[in-house]
Amino acid sequence: MSAYLAESHPAGRTVPADEQADAVAADPPRPVGVGETERRGEAPTIQRTIGDGHDLANPRFAGDRVLEGCFDNERTVRFGSDGPSVTKLQQAMVDIGLTLPKFGVDGKFRAETMSRIKDFQRSAGVKDDGIVGPITMGEFDRRIPGGGGGGGGGPTPPPPTVTTATVAAAPDGGANTRQRVGPGEFVDLTASAAVTWTAAAGTLSVASGPATRWIAPETGSVAVTATPAGGPPTVTTFQVVPPDSIRMRRAVVNPIPAGQAGADMLTDVDFGHTDVSFSRVQWLEDPGPPSAVHGYFAFGNGAAMDLNHHPNPAFVTLRPDNHFLHDHCGSGFPLAPPFRRFFPPPMFFGGGWFWSIPNRFRILGSGSGGTPFVTTLQFFLVDSSGTTTVSKQGANITRTKAGAVT
């Protein structure tokens, strides 16, 4: 941008001689909030290019020296900025559905505002760096209700109304309009007009028309944008929540012959969370060796046993209530004679081990190797009488060699 001479500007403003330096070269882009320069004891930076033919057209932003500076690549608004210019950007985002639930429209550019700026940038198809510069400011000017972009063609129509409906119900009974969803969930979106649909992640069934179905990815905050032929878009932001915990309870006791040590059960497996649906999530445990092997299983006849973990080799699909039935937890083994040189009768002595089990999940039908999300523990302990205890993630079973179970 070249410097201006001290003459009448086409917009009717005379530029004083001491303001004729090239603004870009003298004052490179930086985060600016109203009042910042005054607080530093400097003279306020004056926007030199209002009326140069490259100005904001949207009445919400036009004439704001900070935002005009962003549009002309003379400055930026970013994390740390504050003031009325930030307020205008925040209110604009709230008006198209990019809500600020924690701090609201407070004129302070902090983490929540930066996250919503990134959502807006992704919906506009520009770099999502969270910084308002010339490209992002141009998208605000064009996409936000209130005018701008096309110029002089009458009032800008409001953004389309978008309704959402999750296909599966969440276990907690929440409304199907929820915007927290599980991996792979189906969400049907319907706009009040024909629109072009775009999604920052996941898959859309159709790219244009009044309705589409979005399939959520494995995780992340995802903006789905409905852009009409004229006027501003509507952005709907979903939070994709993967499973993050596993708890178990004993559901079935499996029999083991009397006189043989061991304990065996099937468990009901609960996957957190309950406010999203995992009905399109699959689960897999990884095999692995035992840990902390001691006693009979390290030194007695049990040392010859295969103590490795051998889980189901294939992914299994979770139920709509975010549970799985049934996980097998247990082991039986014969009572063996003691090492009489070191261990007097009875015929058995104690020992045990545990498994540290990595768990993975994936979206049904993805064919991927899965994403690790939690490690679970399973313990086996036996005392000198042959009473065996098996425990795994909150589920427990204890059985004597005579077959009594608690």
Side-chain angles (χ1 to χ4, degrees), residues 15-40:
V15 182
D18 61 353
E19 293 183 20
Q20 294 174 22
D22 186 331
V24 174
D27 188 20
R30 66 181 187 276
V32 174
V34 173
E36 289 184 0
T37 54
E38 286 85 347
R39 286 196 296 271
R40 293 196 299 266

Side-chain angles (χ1 to χ4, degrees), residues 107-288:
K108 298 177 181 179
F109 198 124
R110 303 297 185 263
E112 184 178 57
T113 297
M114 183 169 69
S115 175
R116 287 297 178 262
I117 290 289
K118 290 182 177 181
D119 287 340
F120 175 81
Q121 290 171 322
R122 286 191 288 267
S123 73
V126 302
K127 182 179 179 182
D128 57 340
D129 57 6
I131 300 171
V132 180
I135 296 175
T136 299
M137 194 62 239
E139 294 298 328
F140 269 98
D141 190 49
R142 182 172 70 87
R143 293 171 176 267
I144 301 298
T156 301
T161 300
V162 173
T163 59
T164 69
T166 54
V167 174
D172 70 355
N176 68 350
T177 54
R178 58 188 165 85
Q179 292 176 9
R180 276 172 60 92
V181 298
E185 272 209 68
F186 292 146
V187 182
D188 289 336
L189 297 98
T190 304
S192 57
V195 296
T196 298
W197 300 95
T198 57
T203 305
L204 292 166
S205 62
V206 297
S208 61
T212 191
R213 172 170 287 184
W214 175 66
I215 305 175
E218 282 194 350
T219 188
S221 178
V222 180
V224 179
T225 305
T227 305
T234 295
V235 180
T236 306
T237 302
F238 294 92
Q239 187 67 38
V240 186
V241 182
D244 64 356
S245 63
I246 291 177
R247 293 289 296 171
M248 297 184 179
R249 65 176 182 84
R250 190 173 79 194
V252 177
V253 175
N254 284 336
I256 291 178
Q260 180 175 319
D264 203 332
M265 64 178 169
L266 299 178
T267 66
D268 181 359
V269 189
D270 170 59
F271 294 81
H273 305 262
T274 62
D275 62 342
V276 301
S277 172
F278 294 147
S279 58
R280 300 195 69 248
V281 170
Q282 294 186 305
W283 167 51
L284 180 69
E285 291 183 328
D286 285 342

